[in-house]
Amino acid sequence: MDRSWGILAAAGLLVAASACTGPDESPAPAPPSSSSKPSPSTPTTSSTSPTFTPAASPAKVTAACPFLGADEFARFTGSSNIAAREEPPEKTETAPEYTCAYVTGDQSPEDAPKLYYFAFAAARPDKPVFTTAENCPGPNTPVPGAGEAAMYCDLDDYWTTLAVAKRVHGETRMLNLHLPHLRDTAVYGQVAKLLGERL
């Protein structure tokens, strides 16, 4: 998985946001350009990790990492020695995009699981969530009680995507988490509900 996914996702979501009151005819963002597993690396602790302070529906969002800490990500996924690294924000026409990479040791952020944050002025929460679902070759699983709209689905034989959105502070916010498949699918619902509370 590489940064092109976030850029392409933002472009697709902007189209979805512009058609927020009509039928869902917007094209879906392109899936990640690589479906290969990240290369293994020796786990180490990174000193570049930002200090984690859980977000609680902040009035202004300037980063993705505060929504899900490295320790929380490690606990949910059964990983160890994870560092959360905020990547430079992407510039889009109307939706800010922030990205947090959850890296192990000297793993490249390009291959790491990522959390993307998007915001839209007028889109209904279901629009960006289900536009994201269109990238999945198989069915998606809705997550009731997480934000105003949430789902998860497999992107390929390694990656799962989870999206949750809600309308808050005068905008629609969405968090989109890309992570390796988890054996316990109940965890996806737990993560979605946690992210929904923090949006």
Side-chain angles (χ1 to χ4, degrees), residues 17-145:
S18 66
C20 65
T21 57
D24 191 6
E25 298 175 0
S26 57
S33 61
S34 170
S35 62
S36 61
K37 295 182 181 180
S39 1
S41 58
T42 305
T44 58
T45 303
S46 171
S47 61
T48 61
S49 302
T51 301
F52 178 65
T53 303
S57 194
K60 183 176 181 180
V61 175
T62 58
C65 286
F67 286 102
L68 186 66
D71 290 343
E72 289 179 310
F73 182 87
R75 187 176 72 249
F76 282 128
T77 60
S79 308
S80 60
N81 295 322
I82 298 290
R85 295 183 184 169
E86 190 72 30
E87 298 190 348
E90 296 292 338
K91 294 181 180 179
T92 64
E93 289 182 18
T94 60
E97 178 194 338
Y98 299 103
T99 304
C100 184
Y102 297 93
V103 298
T104 302
D106 58 358
Q107 177 186 31
S108 166
E110 301 298 320
D111 298 326
K114 292 184 182 179
L115 178 66
Y116 298 95
Y117 168 86
F118 303 95
F120 310 97
R124 297 190 318 257
D126 61 309
K127 285 288 185 177
V129 168
F130 291 106
T131 297
T132 302
E134 290 175 1
N135 287 304
C136 300
N140 67 77
T141 302
V143 182

